[in-house]
PDB file of all heavy atoms in Angstrom:
ATOM      1  N   HIS A   2       4.970  -9.830 -16.162  1.00  0.00           N
ATOM      2  CA  HIS A   2       6.165  -9.252 -16.783  1.00  0.00           C
ATOM      3  C   HIS A   2       7.270  -9.117 -15.736  1.00  0.00           C
ATOM      4  O   HIS A   2       7.025  -8.691 -14.607  1.00  0.00           O
ATOM      5  CB  HIS A   2       5.854  -7.874 -17.376  1.00  0.00           C
ATOM      6  CG  HIS A   2       4.701  -7.865 -18.329  1.00  0.00           C
ATOM      7  ND1 HIS A   2       4.798  -8.327 -19.621  1.00  0.00           N
ATOM      8  CD2 HIS A   2       3.422  -7.446 -18.167  1.00  0.00           C
ATOM      9  CE1 HIS A   2       3.628  -8.188 -20.229  1.00  0.00           C
ATOM     10  NE2 HIS A   2       2.780  -7.665 -19.373  1.00  0.00           N
ATOM     11  N   ALA A   3       8.469  -9.458 -16.128  1.00  0.00           N
ATOM     12  CA  ALA A   3       9.607  -9.379 -15.212  1.00  0.00           C
ATOM     13  C   ALA A   3       9.954  -7.926 -14.914  1.00  0.00           C
ATOM     14  O   ALA A   3       9.846  -7.054 -15.773  1.00  0.00           O
ATOM     15  CB  ALA A   3      10.805 -10.093 -15.828  1.00  0.00           C
ATOM     16  N   GLY A   4      10.386  -7.689 -13.667  1.00  0.00           N
ATOM     17  CA  GLY A   4      10.898  -6.379 -13.327  1.00  0.00           C
ATOM     18  C   GLY A   4      10.429  -5.821 -12.001  1.00  0.00           C
ATOM     19  O   GLY A   4      11.142  -5.031 -11.378  1.00  0.00           O
ATOM     20  N   LEU A   5       9.240  -6.223 -11.527  1.00  0.00           N
ATOM     21  CA  LEU A   5       8.719  -5.652 -10.289  1.00  0.00           C
ATOM     22  C   LEU A   5       8.469  -6.667  -9.190  1.00  0.00           C
ATOM     23  O   LEU A   5       8.056  -6.304  -8.088  1.00  0.00           O
ATOM     24  CB  LEU A   5       7.429  -4.871 -10.571  1.00  0.00           C
ATOM     25  CG  LEU A   5       7.625  -3.509 -11.242  1.00  0.00           C
ATOM     26  CD1 LEU A   5       6.281  -2.863 -11.555  1.00  0.00           C
ATOM     27  CD2 LEU A   5       8.481  -2.581 -10.383  1.00  0.00           C
ATOM     28  N   LEU A   6       8.712  -7.946  -9.479  1.00  0.00           N
ATOM     29  CA  LEU A   6       8.654  -8.987  -8.453  1.00  0.00           C
ATOM     30  C   LEU A   6       9.896  -9.856  -8.580  1.00  0.00           C
ATOM     31  O   LEU A   6      10.272 -10.239  -9.700  1.00  0.00           O
ATOM     32  CB  LEU A   6       7.395  -9.849  -8.606  1.00  0.00           C
ATOM     33  CG  LEU A   6       6.061  -9.215  -8.223  1.00  0.00           C
ATOM     34  CD1 LEU A   6       4.911 -10.184  -8.513  1.00  0.00           C
ATOM     35  CD2 LEU A   6       6.041  -8.774  -6.765  1.00  0.00           C
ATOM     36  N   PRO A   7      10.552 -10.176  -7.469  1.00  0.00           N
ATOM     37  CA  PRO A   7      11.773 -10.991  -7.521  1.00  0.00           C
ATOM     38  C   PRO A   7      11.502 -12.389  -8.061  1.00  0.00           C
ATOM     39  O   PRO A   7      10.385 -12.916  -7.953  1.00  0.00           O
ATOM     40  CB  PRO A   7      12.231 -11.050  -6.064  1.00  0.00           C
ATOM     41  CG  PRO A   7      11.528  -9.925  -5.387  1.00  0.00           C
ATOM     42  CD  PRO A   7      10.230  -9.761  -6.100  1.00  0.00           C
ATOM     43  N   ALA A   8      12.528 -12.995  -8.620  1.00  0.00           N
ATOM     44  CA  ALA A   8      12.410 -14.371  -9.109  1.00  0.00           C
ATOM     45  C   ALA A   8      12.364 -15.371  -7.960  1.00  0.00           C
ATOM     46  O   ALA A   8      11.661 -16.380  -8.025  1.00  0.00           O
ATOM     47  CB  ALA A   8      13.571 -14.695 -10.038  1.00  0.00           C
ATOM     48  N   ASP A   9      13.116 -15.101  -6.887  1.00  0.00           N
ATOM     49  CA  ASP A   9      13.114 -15.981  -5.713  1.00  0.00           C
ATOM     50  C   ASP A   9      11.727 -16.002  -5.082  1.00  0.00           C
ATOM     51  O   ASP A   9      11.118 -14.940  -4.856  1.00  0.00           O
ATOM     52  CB  ASP A   9      14.145 -15.479  -4.700  1.00  0.00           C
ATOM     53  CG  ASP A   9      14.098 -16.258  -3.400  1.00  0.00           C
ATOM     54  OD1 ASP A   9      14.602 -17.384  -3.367  1.00  0.00           O
ATOM     55  OD2 ASP A   9      13.515 -15.719  -2.427  1.00  0.00           O
ATOM     56  N   SER A  10      11.207 -17.187  -4.793  1.00  0.00           N
ATOM     57  CA  SER A  10       9.828 -17.303  -4.327  1.00  0.00           C
ATOM     58  C   SER A  10       9.598 -16.599  -2.992  1.00  0.00           C
ATOM     59  O   SER A  10       8.561 -15.965  -2.775  1.00  0.00           O
ATOM     60  CB  SER A  10       9.419 -18.776  -4.221  1.00  0.00           C
ATOM     61  OG  SER A  10      10.239 -19.462  -3.278  1.00  0.00           O
ATOM     62  N   GLY A  11      10.565 -16.709  -2.073  1.00  0.00           N
ATOM     63  CA  GLY A  11      10.413 -16.060  -0.778  1.00  0.00           C
ATOM     64  C   GLY A  11      10.408 -14.546  -0.907  1.00  0.00           C
ATOM     65  O   GLY A  11       9.550 -13.861  -0.324  1.00  0.00           O
ATOM     66  N   ALA A  12      11.369 -14.023  -1.659  1.00  0.00           N
ATOM     67  CA  ALA A  12      11.441 -12.577  -1.868  1.00  0.00           C
ATOM     68  C   ALA A  12      10.205 -12.079  -2.615  1.00  0.00           C
ATOM     69  O   ALA A  12       9.696 -10.982  -2.349  1.00  0.00           O
ATOM     70  CB  ALA A  12      12.708 -12.224  -2.637  1.00  0.00           C
ATOM     71  N   ARG A  13       9.715 -12.894  -3.527  1.00  0.00           N
ATOM     72  CA  ARG A  13       8.515 -12.538  -4.282  1.00  0.00           C
ATOM     73  C   ARG A  13       7.312 -12.408  -3.346  1.00  0.00           C
ATOM     74  O   ARG A  13       6.539 -11.448  -3.422  1.00  0.00           O
ATOM     75  CB  ARG A  13       8.260 -13.614  -5.343  1.00  0.00           C
ATOM     76  CG  ARG A  13       7.190 -13.293  -6.364  1.00  0.00           C
ATOM     77  CD  ARG A  13       7.043 -14.471  -7.316  1.00  0.00           C
ATOM     78  NE  ARG A  13       6.196 -14.166  -8.450  1.00  0.00           N
ATOM     79  CZ  ARG A  13       6.622 -13.673  -9.597  1.00  0.00           C
ATOM     80  NH1 ARG A  13       7.910 -13.415  -9.778  1.00  0.00           N
ATOM     81  NH2 ARG A  13       5.780 -13.440 -10.589  1.00  0.00           N
ATOM     82  N   SER A  14       7.172 -13.363  -2.454  1.00  0.00           N
ATOM     83  CA  SER A  14       6.068 -13.320  -1.504  1.00  0.00           C
ATOM     84  C   SER A  14       6.188 -12.116  -0.570  1.00  0.00           C
ATOM     85  O   SER A  14       5.180 -11.481  -0.222  1.00  0.00           O
ATOM     86  CB  SER A  14       6.017 -14.610  -0.695  1.00  0.00           C
ATOM     87  OG  SER A  14       5.713 -15.710  -1.524  1.00  0.00           O
ATOM     88  N   ARG A  15       7.404 -11.780  -0.165  1.00  0.00           N
ATOM     89  CA  ARG A  15       7.586 -10.617   0.704  1.00  0.00           C
ATOM     90  C   ARG A  15       7.246  -9.323  -0.039  1.00  0.00           C
ATOM     91  O   ARG A  15       6.645  -8.406   0.537  1.00  0.00           O
ATOM     92  CB  ARG A  15       9.021 -10.559   1.236  1.00  0.00           C
ATOM     93  CG  ARG A  15       9.331 -11.658   2.247  1.00  0.00           C
ATOM     94  CD  ARG A  15      10.631 -11.389   2.990  1.00  0.00           C
ATOM     95  NE  ARG A  15      11.792 -11.292   2.106  1.00  0.00           N
ATOM     96  CZ  ARG A  15      12.522 -12.336   1.701  1.00  0.00           C
ATOM     97  NH1 ARG A  15      12.193 -13.560   2.088  1.00  0.00           N
ATOM     98  NH2 ARG A  15      13.572 -12.180   0.923  1.00  0.00           N
ATOM     99  N   ALA A  16       7.602  -9.235  -1.313  1.00  0.00           N
ATOM    100  CA  ALA A  16       7.268  -8.046  -2.100  1.00  0.00           C
ATOM    101  C   ALA A  16       5.753  -7.887  -2.202  1.00  0.00           C
ATOM    102  O   ALA A  16       5.219  -6.770  -2.092  1.00  0.00           O
ATOM    103  CB  ALA A  16       7.893  -8.139  -3.493  1.00  0.00           C
ATOM    104  N   ILE A  17       5.049  -9.005  -2.398  1.00  0.00           N
ATOM    105  CA  ILE A  17       3.590  -8.958  -2.459  1.00  0.00           C
ATOM    106  C   ILE A  17       3.015  -8.551  -1.101  1.00  0.00           C
ATOM    107  O   ILE A  17       2.049  -7.787  -1.026  1.00  0.00           O
ATOM    108  CB  ILE A  17       3.032 -10.306  -2.932  1.00  0.00           C
ATOM    109  CG1 ILE A  17       3.441 -10.558  -4.391  1.00  0.00           C
ATOM    110  CG2 ILE A  17       1.512 -10.350  -2.790  1.00  0.00           C
ATOM    111  CD1 ILE A  17       3.130 -11.945  -4.904  1.00  0.00           C
ATOM    112  N   ALA A  18       3.631  -9.032  -0.027  1.00  0.00           N
ATOM    113  CA  ALA A  18       3.187  -8.638   1.311  1.00  0.00           C
ATOM    114  C   ALA A  18       3.300  -7.128   1.495  1.00  0.00           C
ATOM    115  O   ALA A  18       2.417  -6.490   2.103  1.00  0.00           O
ATOM    116  CB  ALA A  18       4.002  -9.369   2.376  1.00  0.00           C
ATOM    117  N   TRP A  19       4.367  -6.537   0.966  1.00  0.00           N
ATOM    118  CA  TRP A  19       4.528  -5.085   1.064  1.00  0.00           C
ATOM    119  C   TRP A  19       3.509  -4.347   0.221  1.00  0.00           C
ATOM    120  O   TRP A  19       3.094  -3.229   0.570  1.00  0.00           O
ATOM    121  CB  TRP A  19       5.959  -4.668   0.711  1.00  0.00           C
ATOM    122  CG  TRP A  19       6.893  -4.831   1.871  1.00  0.00           C
ATOM    123  CD1 TRP A  19       7.910  -5.732   2.010  1.00  0.00           C
ATOM    124  CD2 TRP A  19       6.858  -4.076   3.080  1.00  0.00           C
ATOM    125  NE1 TRP A  19       8.504  -5.582   3.234  1.00  0.00           N
ATOM    126  CE2 TRP A  19       7.886  -4.568   3.909  1.00  0.00           C
ATOM    127  CE3 TRP A  19       6.060  -3.030   3.546  1.00  0.00           C
ATOM    128  CZ2 TRP A  19       8.130  -4.051   5.182  1.00  0.00           C
ATOM    129  CZ3 TRP A  19       6.302  -2.510   4.813  1.00  0.00           C
ATOM    130  CH2 TRP A  19       7.332  -3.021   5.611  1.00  0.00           C
ATOM    131  N   MET A  20       3.071  -4.942  -0.880  1.00  0.00           N
ATOM    132  CA  MET A  20       1.986  -4.341  -1.654  1.00  0.00           C
ATOM    133  C   MET A  20       0.732  -4.236  -0.793  1.00  0.00           C
ATOM    134  O   MET A  20       0.083  -3.187  -0.737  1.00  0.00           O
ATOM    135  CB  MET A  20       1.701  -5.167  -2.908  1.00  0.00           C
ATOM    136  CG  MET A  20       2.808  -5.193  -3.935  1.00  0.00           C
ATOM    137  SD  MET A  20       2.416  -6.258  -5.349  1.00  0.00           S
ATOM    138  CE  MET A  20       1.043  -5.348  -6.100  1.00  0.00           C
ATOM    139  N   PHE A  21       0.410  -5.337  -0.110  1.00  0.00           N
ATOM    140  CA  PHE A  21      -0.766  -5.346   0.756  1.00  0.00           C
ATOM    141  C   PHE A  21      -0.573  -4.387   1.936  1.00  0.00           C
ATOM    142  O   PHE A  21      -1.529  -3.722   2.353  1.00  0.00           O
ATOM    143  CB  PHE A  21      -1.049  -6.760   1.254  1.00  0.00           C
ATOM    144  CG  PHE A  21      -1.772  -7.618   0.263  1.00  0.00           C
ATOM    145  CD1 PHE A  21      -1.084  -8.300  -0.723  1.00  0.00           C
ATOM    146  CD2 PHE A  21      -3.156  -7.748   0.310  1.00  0.00           C
ATOM    147  CE1 PHE A  21      -1.749  -9.090  -1.646  1.00  0.00           C
ATOM    148  CE2 PHE A  21      -3.834  -8.533  -0.612  1.00  0.00           C
ATOM    149  CZ  PHE A  21      -3.126  -9.212  -1.595  1.00  0.00           C
ATOM    150  N   ALA A  22       0.625  -4.326   2.473  1.00  0.00           N
ATOM    151  CA  ALA A  22       0.888  -3.431   3.603  1.00  0.00           C
ATOM    152  C   ALA A  22       0.669  -1.975   3.209  1.00  0.00           C
ATOM    153  O   ALA A  22       0.098  -1.185   3.975  1.00  0.00           O
ATOM    154  CB  ALA A  22       2.311  -3.634   4.115  1.00  0.00           C
ATOM    155  N   ALA A  23       1.124  -1.622   2.013  1.00  0.00           N
ATOM    156  CA  ALA A  23       0.951  -0.243   1.547  1.00  0.00           C
ATOM    157  C   ALA A  23      -0.525   0.127   1.471  1.00  0.00           C
ATOM    158  O   ALA A  23      -0.944   1.202   1.939  1.00  0.00           O
ATOM    159  CB  ALA A  23       1.611  -0.070   0.177  1.00  0.00           C
ATOM    160  N   LEU A  24      -1.335  -0.774   0.911  1.00  0.00           N
ATOM    161  CA  LEU A  24      -2.741  -0.474   0.666  1.00  0.00           C
ATOM    162  C   LEU A  24      -3.632  -0.707   1.883  1.00  0.00           C
ATOM    163  O   LEU A  24      -4.633  -0.006   2.052  1.00  0.00           O
ATOM    164  CB  LEU A  24      -3.254  -1.315  -0.504  1.00  0.00           C
ATOM    165  CG  LEU A  24      -2.541  -1.096  -1.849  1.00  0.00           C
ATOM    166  CD1 LEU A  24      -3.143  -1.991  -2.909  1.00  0.00           C
ATOM    167  CD2 LEU A  24      -2.604   0.362  -2.265  1.00  0.00           C
ATOM    168  N   SER A  25      -3.273  -1.674   2.709  1.00  0.00           N
ATOM    169  CA  SER A  25      -4.170  -2.063   3.806  1.00  0.00           C
ATOM    170  C   SER A  25      -3.763  -1.516   5.159  1.00  0.00           C
ATOM    171  O   SER A  25      -4.610  -1.399   6.055  1.00  0.00           O
ATOM    172  CB  SER A  25      -4.255  -3.596   3.896  1.00  0.00           C
ATOM    173  OG  SER A  25      -4.751  -4.145   2.698  1.00  0.00           O
ATOM    174  N   THR A  26      -2.474  -1.204   5.342  1.00  0.00           N
ATOM    175  CA  THR A  26      -2.006  -0.763   6.656  1.00  0.00           C
ATOM    176  C   THR A  26      -1.575   0.700   6.667  1.00  0.00           C
ATOM    177  O   THR A  26      -1.933   1.447   7.575  1.00  0.00           O
ATOM    178  CB  THR A  26      -0.827  -1.646   7.121  1.00  0.00           C
ATOM    179  OG1 THR A  26      -1.256  -3.010   7.178  1.00  0.00           O
ATOM    180  CG2 THR A  26      -0.323  -1.216   8.485  1.00  0.00           C
ATOM    181  N   VAL A  27      -0.818   1.114   5.660  1.00  0.00           N
ATOM    182  CA  VAL A  27      -0.283   2.480   5.662  1.00  0.00           C
ATOM    183  C   VAL A  27      -1.263   3.476   5.046  1.00  0.00           C
ATOM    184  O   VAL A  27      -1.429   4.587   5.556  1.00  0.00           O
ATOM    185  CB  VAL A  27       1.078   2.529   4.930  1.00  0.00           C
ATOM    186  CG1 VAL A  27       1.634   3.950   4.917  1.00  0.00           C
ATOM    187  CG2 VAL A  27       2.074   1.581   5.604  1.00  0.00           C
ATOM    188  N   GLU A  28      -1.930   3.091   3.981  1.00  0.00           N
ATOM    189  CA  GLU A  28      -2.795   4.059   3.281  1.00  0.00           C
ATOM    190  C   GLU A  28      -4.056   4.459   4.041  1.00  0.00           C
ATOM    191  O   GLU A  28      -4.439   5.632   4.007  1.00  0.00           O
ATOM    192  CB  GLU A  28      -3.163   3.537   1.896  1.00  0.00           C
ATOM    193  CG  GLU A  28      -3.927   4.579   1.078  1.00  0.00           C
ATOM    194  CD  GLU A  28      -4.080   4.201  -0.375  1.00  0.00           C
ATOM    195  OE1 GLU A  28      -4.404   3.036  -0.666  1.00  0.00           O
ATOM    196  OE2 GLU A  28      -3.878   5.084  -1.222  1.00  0.00           O
ATOM    197  N   PRO A  29      -4.779   3.545   4.728  1.00  0.00           N
ATOM    198  CA  PRO A  29      -6.057   3.941   5.337  1.00  0.00           C
ATOM    199  C   PRO A  29      -5.997   5.173   6.245  1.00  0.00           C
ATOM    200  O   PRO A  29      -6.827   6.080   6.088  1.00  0.00           O
ATOM    201  CB  PRO A  29      -6.489   2.683   6.080  1.00  0.00           C
ATOM    202  CG  PRO A  29      -5.929   1.575   5.238  1.00  0.00           C
ATOM    203  CD  PRO A  29      -4.582   2.077   4.808  1.00  0.00           C
ATOM    204  N   PRO A  30      -5.046   5.277   7.192  1.00  0.00           N
ATOM    205  CA  PRO A  30      -5.045   6.490   8.023  1.00  0.00           C
ATOM    206  C   PRO A  30      -4.683   7.746   7.230  1.00  0.00           C
ATOM    207  O   PRO A  30      -5.127   8.849   7.572  1.00  0.00           O
ATOM    208  CB  PRO A  30      -3.999   6.185   9.108  1.00  0.00           C
ATOM    209  CG  PRO A  30      -3.143   5.107   8.538  1.00  0.00           C
ATOM    210  CD  PRO A  30      -4.041   4.298   7.664  1.00  0.00           C
ATOM    211  N   ILE A  31      -3.905   7.579   6.154  1.00  0.00           N
ATOM    212  CA  ILE A  31      -3.553   8.724   5.314  1.00  0.00           C
ATOM    213  C   ILE A  31      -4.776   9.209   4.551  1.00  0.00           C
ATOM    214  O   ILE A  31      -5.038  10.416   4.454  1.00  0.00           O
ATOM    215  CB  ILE A  31      -2.402   8.350   4.368  1.00  0.00           C
ATOM    216  CG1 ILE A  31      -1.126   8.091   5.177  1.00  0.00           C
ATOM    217  CG2 ILE A  31      -2.166   9.445   3.328  1.00  0.00           C
ATOM    218  CD1 ILE A  31       0.044   7.564   4.351  1.00  0.00           C
ATOM    219  N   VAL A  32      -5.545   8.280   4.006  1.00  0.00           N
ATOM    220  CA  VAL A  32      -6.758   8.659   3.281  1.00  0.00           C
ATOM    221  C   VAL A  32      -7.777   9.278   4.232  1.00  0.00           C
ATOM    222  O   VAL A  32      -8.445  10.270   3.889  1.00  0.00           O
ATOM    223  CB  VAL A  32      -7.361   7.433   2.567  1.00  0.00           C
ATOM    224  CG1 VAL A  32      -8.745   7.753   2.015  1.00  0.00           C
ATOM    225  CG2 VAL A  32      -6.448   6.989   1.427  1.00  0.00           C
ATOM    226  N   GLU A  33      -7.896   8.725   5.433  1.00  0.00           N
ATOM    227  CA  GLU A  33      -8.834   9.290   6.408  1.00  0.00           C
ATOM    228  C   GLU A  33      -8.467  10.732   6.720  1.00  0.00           C
ATOM    229  O   GLU A  33      -9.337  11.609   6.818  1.00  0.00           O
ATOM    230  CB  GLU A  33      -8.842   8.455   7.685  1.00  0.00           C
ATOM    231  CG  GLU A  33      -9.904   8.900   8.684  1.00  0.00           C
ATOM    232  CD  GLU A  33      -9.952   8.030   9.924  1.00  0.00           C
ATOM    233  OE1 GLU A  33      -9.033   7.207  10.115  1.00  0.00           O
ATOM    234  OE2 GLU A  33     -10.906   8.191  10.711  1.00  0.00           O
ATOM    235  N   ARG A  34      -7.166  11.000   6.839  1.00  0.00           N
ATOM    236  CA  ARG A  34      -6.714  12.374   7.085  1.00  0.00           C
ATOM    237  C   ARG A  34      -7.070  13.275   5.911  1.00  0.00           C
ATOM    238  O   ARG A  34      -7.532  14.406   6.094  1.00  0.00           O
ATOM    239  CB  ARG A  34      -5.202  12.380   7.324  1.00  0.00           C
ATOM    240  CG  ARG A  34      -4.651  13.751   7.658  1.00  0.00           C
ATOM    241  CD  ARG A  34      -3.130  13.774   7.658  1.00  0.00           C
ATOM    242  NE  ARG A  34      -2.641  15.053   8.139  1.00  0.00           N
ATOM    243  CZ  ARG A  34      -2.574  16.150   7.398  1.00  0.00           C
ATOM    244  NH1 ARG A  34      -2.978  16.126   6.132  1.00  0.00           N
ATOM    245  NH2 ARG A  34      -2.116  17.278   7.917  1.00  0.00           N
ATOM    246  N   SER A  35      -6.859  12.783   4.693  1.00  0.00           N
ATOM    247  CA  SER A  35      -7.164  13.576   3.504  1.00  0.00           C
ATOM    248  C   SER A  35      -8.649  13.883   3.412  1.00  0.00           C
ATOM    249  O   SER A  35      -9.046  15.005   3.064  1.00  0.00           O
ATOM    250  CB  SER A  35      -6.714  12.824   2.244  1.00  0.00           C
ATOM    251  OG  SER A  35      -5.328  12.599   2.256  1.00  0.00           O
ATOM    252  N   MET A  36      -9.491  12.891   3.704  1.00  0.00           N
ATOM    253  CA  MET A  36     -10.932  13.097   3.632  1.00  0.00           C
ATOM    254  C   MET A  36     -11.399  14.109   4.684  1.00  0.00           C
ATOM    255  O   MET A  36     -12.298  14.913   4.424  1.00  0.00           O
ATOM    256  CB  MET A  36     -11.661  11.767   3.817  1.00  0.00           C
ATOM    257  CG  MET A  36     -11.471  10.780   2.682  1.00  0.00           C
ATOM    258  SD  MET A  36     -12.024  11.395   1.057  1.00  0.00           S
ATOM    259  CE  MET A  36     -10.442  11.874   0.318  1.00  0.00           C
ATOM    260  N   ALA A  37     -10.780  14.071   5.854  1.00  0.00           N
ATOM    261  CA  ALA A  37     -11.135  15.041   6.895  1.00  0.00           C
ATOM    262  C   ALA A  37     -10.802  16.451   6.436  1.00  0.00           C
ATOM    263  O   ALA A  37     -11.588  17.387   6.633  1.00  0.00           O
ATOM    264  CB  ALA A  37     -10.396  14.707   8.196  1.00  0.00           C
ATOM    265  N   TRP A  38      -9.647  16.612   5.818  1.00  0.00           N
ATOM    266  CA  TRP A  38      -9.259  17.946   5.334  1.00  0.00           C
ATOM    267  C   TRP A  38     -10.223  18.424   4.253  1.00  0.00           C
ATOM    268  O   TRP A  38     -10.620  19.593   4.221  1.00  0.00           O
ATOM    269  CB  TRP A  38      -7.831  17.916   4.798  1.00  0.00           C
ATOM    270  CG  TRP A  38      -7.354  19.277   4.386  1.00  0.00           C
ATOM    271  CD1 TRP A  38      -6.769  20.214   5.184  1.00  0.00           C
ATOM    272  CD2 TRP A  38      -7.439  19.862   3.078  1.00  0.00           C
ATOM    273  NE1 TRP A  38      -6.483  21.350   4.463  1.00  0.00           N
ATOM    274  CE2 TRP A  38      -6.885  21.162   3.165  1.00  0.00           C
ATOM    275  CE3 TRP A  38      -7.925  19.417   1.855  1.00  0.00           C
ATOM    276  CZ2 TRP A  38      -6.813  22.015   2.070  1.00  0.00           C
ATOM    277  CZ3 TRP A  38      -7.858  20.278   0.755  1.00  0.00           C
ATOM    278  CH2 TRP A  38      -7.308  21.553   0.862  1.00  0.00           C
ATOM    279  N   LEU A  39     -10.644  17.531   3.366  1.00  0.00           N
ATOM    280  CA  LEU A  39     -11.528  17.916   2.272  1.00  0.00           C
ATOM    281  C   LEU A  39     -12.936  18.270   2.739  1.00  0.00           C
ATOM    282  O   LEU A  39     -13.539  19.236   2.261  1.00  0.00           O
ATOM    283  CB  LEU A  39     -11.612  16.774   1.250  1.00  0.00           C
ATOM    284  CG  LEU A  39     -10.417  16.595   0.327  1.00  0.00           C
ATOM    285  CD1 LEU A  39     -10.563  15.318  -0.485  1.00  0.00           C
ATOM    286  CD2 LEU A  39     -10.264  17.804  -0.604  1.00  0.00           C
ATOM    287  N   PHE A  40     -13.466  17.478   3.677  1.00  0.00           N
ATOM    288  CA  PHE A  40     -14.887  17.573   3.981  1.00  0.00           C
ATOM    289  C   PHE A  40     -15.235  18.058   5.389  1.00  0.00           C
ATOM    290  O   PHE A  40     -16.405  18.337   5.665  1.00  0.00           O
ATOM    291  CB  PHE A  40     -15.552  16.208   3.751  1.00  0.00           C
ATOM    292  CG  PHE A  40     -15.405  15.703   2.344  1.00  0.00           C
ATOM    293  CD1 PHE A  40     -14.668  14.563   2.082  1.00  0.00           C
ATOM    294  CD2 PHE A  40     -15.995  16.380   1.283  1.00  0.00           C
ATOM    295  CE1 PHE A  40     -14.528  14.087   0.773  1.00  0.00           C
ATOM    296  CE2 PHE A  40     -15.866  15.919  -0.017  1.00  0.00           C
ATOM    297  CZ  PHE A  40     -15.127  14.770  -0.284  1.00  0.00           C
ATOM    298  N   GLU A  41     -14.241  18.161   6.268  1.00  0.00           N
ATOM    299  CA  GLU A  41     -14.572  18.477   7.662  1.00  0.00           C
ATOM    300  C   GLU A  41     -13.845  19.709   8.207  1.00  0.00           C
ATOM    301  O   GLU A  41     -14.065  20.095   9.355  1.00  0.00           O
ATOM    302  CB  GLU A  41     -14.245  17.266   8.558  1.00  0.00           C
ATOM    303  CG  GLU A  41     -15.026  16.008   8.196  1.00  0.00           C
ATOM    304  CD  GLU A  41     -14.554  14.774   8.951  1.00  0.00           C
ATOM    305  OE1 GLU A  41     -13.572  14.880   9.726  1.00  0.00           O
ATOM    306  OE2 GLU A  41     -15.156  13.704   8.775  1.00  0.00           O
TER     307      GLU A  41
END
């Protein structure tokens, strides 16, 4: 569905890269911090 990925192929690929960056690079240390607060 149109609206969350650019039509331009390069911009589209960069948007997808940021999806992966959010989940694979930025989120892990944040989740680790949250788990430490909950359980440790």
Side-chain angles (χ1 to χ4, degrees):
H2 306 283
L5 285 176
L6 288 177
D9 174 77
S10 61
R13 190 181 189 90
S14 295
R15 290 193 301 273
I17 293 171
W19 278 111
M20 294 177 67
F21 279 84
L24 300 180
S25 300
T26 301
V27 179
E28 186 169 44
I31 293 174
V32 170
E33 186 177 11
R34 183 190 187 280
S35 299
M36 292 301 101
W38 184 87
L39 284 172
F40 301 115
E41 299 172 357

